Amino acid sequence: MIEPRENQKQATSDFVECDNCSMQAICEPLKTDNQSLDLTSHYLSRRVPVDSSKKSISLTDTSKGLLFKQDHALIAIYSVCSGVFKLYREQEDGSQKVVGFRFPGELLAEDAIFQQKYNYSAVAIGEGSVCEVSIAPLNACSQLAPDLQSNLIQLLAKQSYEQQRNNEALIGKKSSEALLAAFLLNICARNAKHLGSETDMPLLMSRSDIANFLGVRRETLSRLLARFQQEQLISLQGKKLKLLSISALKSRIIS
Amino acid sequence: MIEPRENQKQATSDFVECDNCSMQAICEPLKTDNQSLDLTSHYLSRRVPVDSSKKSISLTDTSKGLLFKQDHALIAIYSVCSGVFKLYREQEDGSQKVVGFRFPGELLAEDAIFQQKYNYSAVAIGEGSVCEVSIAPLNACSQLAPDLQSNLIQLLAKQSYEQQRNNEALIGKKSSEALLAAFLLNICARNAKHLGSETDMPLLMSRSDIANFLGVRRETLSRLLARFQQEQLISLQGKKLKLLSISALKSRIIS
DNA sequence: CGCAATTTTGACGTAGTTCAACACGTGTGG
DNA sequence: CCACACGTGTTGAACTACGTCAAAATTGCG
């Protein structure tokens, strides 16, 4: 396993390139504009490591790898640089419901802007890192730079689009099989750009979390994955997921 | 009610008040600012009727009540003034998949801004009306009025929030019962503000459309609704839906 | 009123859940 | 070093919810 020695920061290749990042709209344009260049430094922290395998870092609290916590006041929004983040919500009965995953290049917590508080908790699965955009300074800078504002509009509009698509992929699938097929295609598509492959990706999330998210039992997920392998739709060894036939998978999505 | 008589159309009470409308951010602030007052006239058309029961109106095409069509170029975004709109997507196999409903005060098609084309078709269920914001003029005006821009940000941020919440309500529910309970609570909450009741609303959508959206069969939906009535969770006569016990319904949402 | 469309009801088969046991890897302490 | 607990993933058998197909009942509309 290619494990580049670690924590004096991973190899560059583990990070998504800025060109593939959702946050680009409010990071990069300012690079080209000399006058605004300084602005990003007021709100942006690049590639902050968030690690669930080590003891908790400088972040506020309890659980290791926790990026932010449900119901806490909004401080910053993020984009994922590396790793995978799990979004979940504590329920009245104490159990947790996984409400989503975020992959490198994707935005995180932007839906907290409306009520100024986080709607779910986010935790890194294994090692991860994020770019952090602090909201208060961003707002201040936006007053000064109209371009920044219109870029923020673009960013939110794009996110609205992505979210709609991701959710359409999952609502109202009649069988678990269709649901899983849609999920696998969805996550591979979302990882395609930065991994350079439409068919291969590491499945870092645990079966429990995936099953929780999809609303099926661990056991069912296990059986479905086994069936998909038998039928040569996917191959799955360890964490390595490979889609063997995208078209065949698509044909399983009968909503 | 401040109703500047309009299009000599439906009774005033059928329209959502502007105070309860998602679009308010880019409609109303400009009312208070005398200088910008004129701007809205450049991009905003108020309370345009869209009616599926009459013959097709001045709109482009075929089906009556159609507001916009999937894959067509983005011209305007909308907010629902009255009635209910169904969002659906034509699938490869020719069938249609209902991907959402929109109620008075809610935004429509904002997720088309990213790719400048509509991601689904929208059709009025029965009679409806919308406020229409044309994108090109809006963009032009945004250049001139920074306030308008930041209001647009607020609007998109809010929509991002709403969308996330609506979808969390529906993904990964283990039983159809839980799914339906979540759906009923969701749509009643979304109609609460403008109807003035958390528990009562007209269920204008057909059973087929609801079942399609939820990904269950018409028959199953029918049986579930019957069961919910037996168990005194809801009452449903004709189109009148009443939630009899919100807490009991909530307890059915075991995700 | 009467036909068509929509909704509801019934009987039956299958897919997915439930509960239990088991296999595997990892970390912990004697 | 082994024994043990623990988390994760897989497998089997019984039960149940949902889908399917078919028919009856209701609603809506001309």
Side-chain angles (χ1 to χ4, degrees), chain A residues 171-210:
Chain A
I171 52 166
K173 293 290 169 291
K174 61 177 61 163
S175 66
S176 295
E177 179 175 290
L179 186 65
L180 178 60
F183 175 73
L184 293 176
L185 288 166
N186 178 258
I187 60 173
C188 279
R190 286 160 64 184
N191 278 284
K193 249 188 301 180
H194 79 274
L195 289 183
S197 165
E198 302 231 327
T199 56
D200 291 56
M201 66 169 284
L203 203 58
L204 300 176
M205 312 86 91
S206 74
R207 305 295 152 101
S208 295
D209 285 338
I210 297 172

Side-chain angles (χ1 to χ4, degrees), chain A residues 175-176 216-217 219-220 223:
Chain A
S175 66
S176 295
V216 302
R217 299 271 114 187
E219 299 91 320
T220 304
R223 283 185 252 263

Side-chain angles (χ1 to χ4, degrees), chain A residues 57-161:
Chain A
I57 47 176
S58 58
L59 287 171
T60 40
D61 35 13
T62 68
S63 183
K64 31 189 201 140
L66 194 68
L67 184 58
F68 54 80
K69 225 174 143 135
Q70 163 185 357
D71 296 331
H72 283 200
L74 169 67
I75 296 166
I77 63 175
Y78 306 87
S79 72
V80 180
C81 292
S82 64
V84 179
F85 286 76
K86 174 176 85 169
L87 317 183
Y88 63 95
R89 179 180 278 283
E90 310 278 359
Q91 303 192 293
E92 313 74 48
D93 60 10
S95 67
Q96 72 177 40
K97 173 79 187 96
V98 178
V99 297
F101 300 104
R102 290 289 182 276
F103 301 104
E106 296 187 333
L107 217 52
L108 208 46
E110 82 295 336
D111 61 317
I113 293 174
F114 172 53
Q115 293 203 318
Q116 298 286 304
K117 70 171 194 186
Y118 298 111
N119 299 304
Y120 40 76
S121 303
V123 64
I125 295 176
E127 308 180 354
S129 58
V130 295
C131 287
E132 178 178 286
V133 169
S134 299
I135 285 296
L138 175 67
N139 286 339
C141 291
S142 290
Q143 307 289 8
L144 307 172
D147 280 357
L148 181 58
Q149 231 176 4
S150 58
N151 286 336
L152 191 53
I153 291 174
Q154 285 311 306
L155 181 150
L156 287 170
K158 178 177 180 187
Q159 187 61 12
S160 189
Y161 168 80

Side-chain angles (χ1 to χ4, degrees), chain B residues 3-4 25 36 39 43 45 74 88 101 159 161-162 182 206 211 255:
Chain B
E3 181 59 14
S36 313
L39 283 182
Y43 57 79
S45 308
L74 169 67
Y88 63 94
F101 300 104
Q159 187 62 14
Y161 168 80
E162 302 281 3
S206 74
S255 59

Side-chain angles (χ1 to χ4, degrees), chain A residues 38-52:
Chain A
D38 305 320
L39 284 182
T40 65
S41 66
H42 289 97
Y43 57 78
L44 182 64
S45 309
R46 292 180 191 276
R47 302 193 168 175
V48 182
V50 183
D51 199 331
S52 71

Side-chain angles (χ1 to χ4, degrees), chain B residues 9 12 18 44 56 78 92 109-110 138-139 151 187 191 195 200 206 214-215 217 221 224 232 245-246:
Chain B
K9 269 290 149 135
T12 313
C18 289
L44 182 65
S56 77
Y78 306 86
E92 312 75 47
E110 83 296 336
L138 175 67
N139 286 340
N151 286 334
I187 59 173
N191 279 283
L195 289 182
D200 292 55
S206 74
L214 295 177
R217 299 271 113 186
L221 176 62
L224 285 171
Q232 307 280 322
S245 169
I246 289 184

Side-chain angles (χ1 to χ4, degrees), chain B residues 135-156:
Chain B
I135 285 296
L138 175 67
N139 286 340
C141 291
S142 290
Q143 306 288 10
L144 306 173
D147 280 357
L148 182 58
Q149 230 176 3
S150 57
N151 286 334
L152 191 54
I153 291 175
Q154 285 311 305
L155 181 150
L156 287 170

